[in-house]
Amino acid sequence: MNLKNSILLALLAVLLSSCIVVKNDMIEVETGKQVINLSPKPQMSMSDEIVRSHSGDMIAFLPQDWFFINILDQTSEDIFATAVSPDYTMAAVFTKLNPSPETLEIVRREGVIGLARIFYDKKMQKSAGSLKQVGNTQKIMLGPLEFGKYSYYASSSSEPCHSAVFVSNSGNYYEYSLLPMTFRGKQLPTKEEIDILFNSILATIQY
């Protein structure tokens, strides 16, 4: 099996995991009014490799030495960019979801918290209800930009996946996810390193 297929299978194992059973398919919502403010600057060195949506209404940058992999013809049509770390232990996946009348109403009422639920429910449907959320959905502010963050476990990794959703100025729905990969048997980054990595990529997103 070549490297490209190995990466694809590893990503699919995370995105479409089917071993962990959860009690329900509803994402937990932060009921309080707490908003998390993060530093608008990355905490690690970033490269000049740009993630750009097809319509050009969002961009992001990759960490130093990360690179894109071309597996888009074998994954969901919603995914428009996938990149991996040099040791193939982490992957960043960028997804666009076309709004429908139902999702437009949910986002109008609930903002990024509702949008996070929409993306999570979509994953749950694809995985036959096999994901397990970690904690509550959080609203994150990076300067003037607003995101909804949630985390969940897939059966293929002992570390959670992290996702951040947002609405571009053009009204498009996007999600950035950071996924651990174990197909090469290498040690994953620590929880602190993963948090820094997730927040650093998030800090580069512009929309």
Side-chain angles (χ1 to χ4, degrees):
M1 182 181 296
N2 61 35
L3 182 58
K4 178 179 177 179
N5 288 336
S6 297
I7 295 172
L8 174 63
L9 290 175
L11 288 173
L12 290 177
V14 175
L15 293 171
L16 304 178
S17 173
S18 59
C19 295
I20 300 175
V21 177
V22 295
K23 294 181 180 179
N24 58 65
D25 62 355
M26 295 298 292
I27 192 168
E28 284 188 75
V29 176
E30 179 62 62
T31 56
K33 294 184 179 180
Q34 179 182 11
V35 176
I36 298 174
N37 289 281
L38 296 180
S39 169
K41 295 183 179 181
Q43 298 172 268
M44 62 188 301
S45 298
M46 308 299 288
S47 72
D48 57 1
E49 291 282 357
I50 297 179
V51 178
R52 189 187 304 274
S53 64
H54 296 312
S55 55
D57 58 345
M58 68 77 57
I59 64 169
F61 289 87
L62 299 181
Q64 194 68 44
D65 299 326
W66 279 51
F67 55 91
F68 292 107
I69 53 173
N70 184 21
I71 59 173
L72 302 184
D73 57 334
Q74 302 177 58
T75 57
S76 168
E77 62 181 10
D78 298 334
I79 297 174
F80 62 89
T82 304
V84 295
S85 60
D87 59 0
Y88 299 97
T89 59
M90 302 297 297
V93 179
F94 295 83
T95 306
K96 177 186 176 183
L97 182 65
N98 291 322
S100 67
E102 180 182 4
T103 58
L104 283 169
E105 177 60 22
I106 292 173
V107 175
R108 185 191 68 79
R109 294 196 316 263
E110 305 176 30
V112 292
I113 298 297
L115 183 58
R117 186 172 73 252
I118 292 168
F119 271 98
Y120 182 74
D121 285 350
K122 188 175 178 67
K123 288 188 180 72
M124 288 289 285
Q125 291 170 7
K126 287 184 176 181
S127 66
S130 64
L131 306 180
K132 184 174 182 180
Q133 188 189 344
V134 183
N136 296 329
T137 305
Q138 300 170 324
K139 184 180 291 187
I140 292 177
M141 298 300 299
L142 277 167
L145 303 183
E146 183 179 75
F147 301 87
K149 180 194 174 185
Y150 66 95
S151 302
Y152 62 93
Y153 277 105
S155 63
S156 59
S157 177
S158 59
E159 293 296 328
C161 309
H162 302 289
S163 295
V165 303
F166 56 97
V167 182
S168 75
N169 290 330
S170 299
N172 290 319
Y173 299 163
Y174 290 104
E175 180 181 69
Y176 143 58
S177 296
L178 185 65
L179 312 175
M181 298 193 298
T182 58
F183 74 98
R184 281 198 154 184
K186 294 186 177 182
Q187 184 173 353
L188 294 174
T190 65
K191 180 183 182 302
E192 181 180 5
E193 290 170 337
I194 291 175
D195 287 343
I196 290 174
L197 179 56
F198 179 83
N199 292 338
S200 293
I201 297 176
L202 187 66
T204 70
I205 293 178
Q206 301 174 39
Y207 61 84

